[in-house]
Structure formats: C-alpha cells, structure tokens
Amino acid sequence: MKKILIGMLAALSVSCANEDDYTHEIPISKSAENELLSKKTVQVNPENPANAYDIAGRIHNEILDAYLSCTISDSTINAVSSKIDSISYLNTDLQNLPSPAAPNFQKIQQIVSSPQLQLEQILAGSPMSAAAKNSLYHFMSSVPAWQGYPYGDVHSQIISFEAGIINNVQFTAEEKRIILTSSAIARHSLYFESERKDKDWETSVGNRAGAVQGALSNSATAVASSLLAGILSRN
C-alpha cells in the first residue's frame, strides 16, 4: 500500500530547472487508483511530530470545525473573517503564536476567483528559490488527486515528502518554514475532509493557495488566510 503513492511524491522535493515551470502534474495510474480505492482506510491521526509547524494544521481544523458547526452561513468576506476572528480568539494555541497579519481581502477574493492562477503567482512572487517554489507547487497541485483515497496512505506519503524537505540541505530555514506550514495545513485539511461525515467539505485550491499566501508571513496568517479562502470558495 505504501508503495502506491511513492511515484506521486518522489519528485516533489527535487529541484526543477525552470522557476516558471508550474504546469507539471503528478500522474497516478488507473490500476494504482483502483488498488487504493479498494483498500480499507487506515485509521490514523493527521499529526506529524517531526514537522515543527504541524500546529498550524491542527489549529486550522479546530477553527474550521467550530465554524462549520454554526447554523448560519456567512456570504460576505467581512462576515466570514469576523466569525473566524471570534473563534480564533478562543483558541489558546493560536493566541500563543505570533500575531497574524491583517487579512488582505482583495488578495483573498482573487484567490477565490482564480485559485490556481493565484497559487502560481503567489509562488512566483515569493522570495523562495526556484527549487523551493517548484517543490511546494508540485506538492500543492497533487492534493486534488489524493482526495477520496484512504487517508492512511496519503498521510504516510505526505510525511515522506515533509521528511525530504526537512533534510534538504539546499533549502533555507525560511523556505522550509513556508513549505512545512503549507503542507501541514494541507495534511490536516485532507484528514478533516476524510472524517467529515456529511461530506459537505472538500479541500479546495483556494484553501491551499490561501495557506501558501499566509505562510509567507507566519503560521497564524497561514491558518487565517487558508480558512478565509477555503470557506469563501465553498460558499
């Protein structure tokens, strides 16, 4: 089982020659897809203690769960942001992190409108090296292919990807922080989706692009931006 997704992630932490090459997708064969879908889901939790920024993913899920438990659905960016702020204020772990940057509503709306394009532009404009940009882009672009697969298999391969990032001597500490914060939120988001009994939540490109945009500042901003873009995309 663990071998199924290895090919999907093997190239993710490898440098790509062209900084602007953001079109590669990691394929999965039909036979591999059928094998994954035929297996029983392995019951695991979403954590990765080796990822120093794992708490961002856990906080993301806690706040999202609290938000979706509310009976009133907000339709405007101001209303969604206000409710996220109210819930976040009660989250002790989040309050212990560096304060998030003020949300850029215009950028969030752009992410909601054109999430894939914005993900590419966010990475292109980031201070990361070409290798780090491509590694994060290819990882984020692979997430949709994993939705619906047993979470245990997906989790183990994301852990492998993160181990490759942690051990990559070419990436700076700041590049690792951005990538590992983003991957932590993606990993926990996929777990949230797999456990959601009413199946009314799916991890969107907006959710991931928001995470990357926010991670360029800090973990708290990554959580807030990911939640805001993801919830607005869903609404």
Side-chain angles (χ1 to χ4, degrees), residues 58-78:
R58 178 163 60 82
I59 293 172
H60 170 279
N61 282 14
E62 291 173 352
I63 296 176
L64 179 58
D65 187 57
Y67 181 95
L68 294 180
S69 68
C70 299
T71 56
I72 299 176
S73 179
D74 303 301
S75 58
T76 68
I77 190 169
N78 294 84

Side-chain angles (χ1 to χ4, degrees), residues 78-157:
N78 294 84
V80 174
S81 180
S82 179
K83 184 174 289 184
I84 290 174
D85 287 344
S86 297
I87 298 171
S88 299
Y89 184 76
L90 301 175
N91 190 293
T92 304
D93 289 328
L94 183 63
Q95 295 304 316
N96 288 332
L97 295 178
S99 299
N104 185 331
F105 286 170
Q106 180 179 4
K107 190 64 177 179
I108 295 297
Q109 290 285 19
Q110 291 173 345
I111 290 173
V112 173
S113 298
S114 303
Q116 191 65 35
L117 174 62
Q118 288 303 311
L119 176 60
E120 295 172 10
Q121 292 183 352
I122 290 166
L123 286 169
S126 76
M128 294 190 294
S129 65
K133 291 178 183 180
N134 279 283
S135 183
L136 180 53
Y137 178 80
H138 295 327
F139 171 79
M140 287 297 183
S141 296
S142 299
V143 173
W146 300 332
Q147 291 173 311
Y149 293 162
Y151 181 75
D153 299 282
V154 174
H155 178 269
S156 66
Q157 297 309 312

